[in-house]
Amino acid sequence: MSKVENIEQEVRGLSSSDLAAFRKWFIEYDAKAWERQIEDDARAGKLAALAEAALKDHKAGKSSAL
C-alpha cells in the first residue's frame, strides 16, 4: 500500500471533528506550499514571460478593470 493510500485510509477513519481540523490544517498547508512555489518560480524567472505578455496586452487595451 502506498503512502497516499495509507493517508486516504486514515482520513476516512477520522471523526467529524478531527476531519474538520485536518481539513483546516491541510488548506493552510497547501496554501503555503503554493505561495512558496510561486515565489520560487518568480525568483527563477519562470513568470517573466507571462508578466511581459500581460503588460503588453494591457498597454494594447486588451484588459479591463476588475
Side-chain angles (χ1 to χ4, degrees):
M1 185 177 285
S2 73
K3 283 185 176 184
V4 172
E5 290 170 330
N6 285 333
I7 293 168
E8 288 172 351
Q9 187 175 10
E10 290 294 324
V11 168
R12 284 188 192 98
L14 293 174
S15 67
S16 303
S17 61
D18 285 343
L19 180 59
F22 173 75
R23 185 181 299 120
K24 180 182 182 299
W25 170 84
F26 186 78
I27 288 169
E28 292 170 4
Y29 173 83
D30 194 42
K32 288 177 185 173
W34 178 253
E35 288 174 20
R36 279 191 304 274
Q37 184 64 55
I38 294 292
E39 290 170 359
D40 291 347
D41 288 350
R43 273 191 294 277
K46 294 180 180 180
L47 304 177
L50 293 173
E52 288 174 22
L55 290 171
K56 181 181 174 185
D57 286 348
H58 179 69
K59 287 177 185 176
K62 296 180 181 179
S63 62
S64 59
L66 295 177

